[in-house]
Amino acid sequence: EADIYQTPRYLVIGTGKKITLECSQTMGHDKMYWYQQDPGMELHLIHYSYGVNSTEKGDLSSESTVSRIRTEHFPLTLESARPSHTSQYLCASSRSSSYNEQFFGPGTRLTVL
Amino acid sequence: AQTVTQSQPEMSVQEAETVTLSCTYDTSESDYYLFWYKQPPSRQMILVIRQEAYKQQNATENRFSVNFQKAAKSFSLKISDSQLGDAAMYFCAYRSPYNDMRFGAGTRLTVKP
């Protein structure tokens, strides 16, 4: 079944740790996105990719980095987590056509102590 | 840059009643698409309804319908016969061939039994 997956769903980690949030999609979508969202609040685009080896920063400045080595995989990495990184991170993907909506993953809720 | 505005941070509706969520957008483009997304508490964001700007007919999906006023740049969502499961954050979004998805700040809908 075509879908978009995120792991882990929940992560509690100490300050200074390096973490990687995984995102994979099985729909063959060219475009992938990372959003940061505090619970019940608006979405902030932090990274996007329009294809393999293509990554761009979004509207909201973020200390995280991303990579796109394979079409289906778009991981997000924080080299040194801080309490200010506590938030929900949503991954999304879409086809290139403007007609197509973004499909969202279930999200990763990150808490940095 | 295209902007999407949802002027109602919170809305409330009685079960079985009808509620309308507002959305306005700013663009100089003529070819674009509008979307409403639903994000239930702690659950995945899903697409509710989509409208193509070149279509005059308002989109409808079961109990969900839109009132698309292109000249006024307005795109409201009407939910008829509201159900408890409709309680969620609702996000309005805009996309065009030249600009990727832009989301509004969201409206939190509460459904009272």
Side-chain angles (χ1 to χ4, degrees), chain A residues 10-23:
Chain A
Y10 302 91
L11 179 62
V12 181
I13 202 163
T15 296
K17 299 292 186 183
K18 177 180 179 179
I19 59 169
T20 296
L21 308 185
E22 301 289 348
C23 175

Side-chain angles (χ1 to χ4, degrees), chain A residues 3-4 9-10 31 33 35 37 39-43 50 59 88 90 94-106 109, chain B residues 31-33 35 37 39 42-47 50 52 54-55 89 91 95-106 108:
Chain A
D3 210 337
I4 180 164
R9 293 291 311 278
Y10 302 91
K31 297 185 174 183
Y33 312 82
Y35 293 90
Q37 182 193 29
M41 302 298 285
E42 63 186 297
L43 302 168
Y50 286 174
D59 301 325
Q88 176 164 249
L90 298 178
S94 76
R95 294 198 184 281
S96 295
S97 167
S98 57
Y99 175 81
N100 295 110
E101 73 270 29
Q102 290 185 8
F103 291 84
F104 282 82
R109 186 152 294 183
Chain B
D31 181 18
Y32 54 87
Y33 301 86
F35 307 83
Y37 281 85
Q39 186 182 36
S42 300
R43 291 178 60 189
Q44 206 154 339
M45 181 105 78
I46 58 172
L47 180 69
R50 169 188 18 231
E52 295 86 347
Y54 64 86
K55 288 188 177 179
M89 284 289 289
F91 292 94
R95 189 175 185 183
S96 77
Y98 307 104
N99 290 280
D100 215 326
M101 196 81 81
R102 293 279 179 182
F103 289 90
R108 183 191 309 275

Side-chain angles (χ1 to χ4, degrees), chain A residues 49-60:
Chain A
S49 167
Y50 286 174
V52 171
N53 294 325
S54 156
T55 61
E56 301 287 344
K57 291 187 179 295
D59 301 325
L60 180 68

